[in-house]
Amino acid sequence: MFVYRNSSTGQVVELPERDVRLDHLDVWLLIAEPAPEDIPDQVLDPEPEPRPERPSENDNKAAWVVYAVARGMAEGDARSLSKAALIEEFGRDDEEDH
């Protein structure tokens, strides 16, 4: 639990999550929060999303857009490129990227 105390009134509130609004008000002080071991591992260290397999050159452009976005390209940029340009940019084997 996250525990806040109002320095003007002495009011104490307990919340299950951190409250951004109270964090920004000068009169509310965070006086207790859960220990890191009390926070589920998924929150502290989420598993990375698996990278999709490289589409074949016969796959449609949408598959190449998804792949390009997974490799770090902005979705809008990927959509603006032609399928041929996406293949040219991301059609190499993963080993060549290292």
Side-chain angles (χ1 to χ4, degrees):
M1 281 294 207
F2 291 88
V3 182
Y4 291 87
R5 182 173 48 83
N6 185 306
S7 61
S8 296
T9 65
Q11 179 185 3
V12 174
V13 295
E14 293 182 8
L15 302 170
E17 296 180 352
R18 194 152 185 168
D19 190 299
V20 176
R21 185 176 54 89
L22 293 181
D23 286 338
H24 284 82
L25 296 172
D26 292 336
V27 295
W28 285 98
L29 305 171
L30 179 64
I31 59 173
E33 60 186 285
E37 61 269 7
D38 295 335
I39 301 172
D41 288 340
Q42 299 141 326
V43 175
L44 293 176
D45 190 18
E47 289 191 26
E49 291 287 323
R51 185 163 28 173
E53 287 189 31
R54 181 182 146 305
S56 77
E57 293 188 17
N58 295 327
D59 283 329
N60 63 22
K61 178 182 173 183
W64 281 96
V65 168
V66 169
Y67 186 67
V69 170
R71 300 286 306 273
M73 181 175 271
E75 185 174 355
D77 293 341
R79 288 184 184 279
S80 70
L81 294 175
S82 68
K83 177 182 166 183
L86 290 168
I87 291 171
E88 172 136 355
E89 181 70 27
F90 297 101
R92 299 179 307 276
D93 288 336
D94 287 343
E95 288 78 32
E96 294 180 19
D97 292 342
H98 293 97

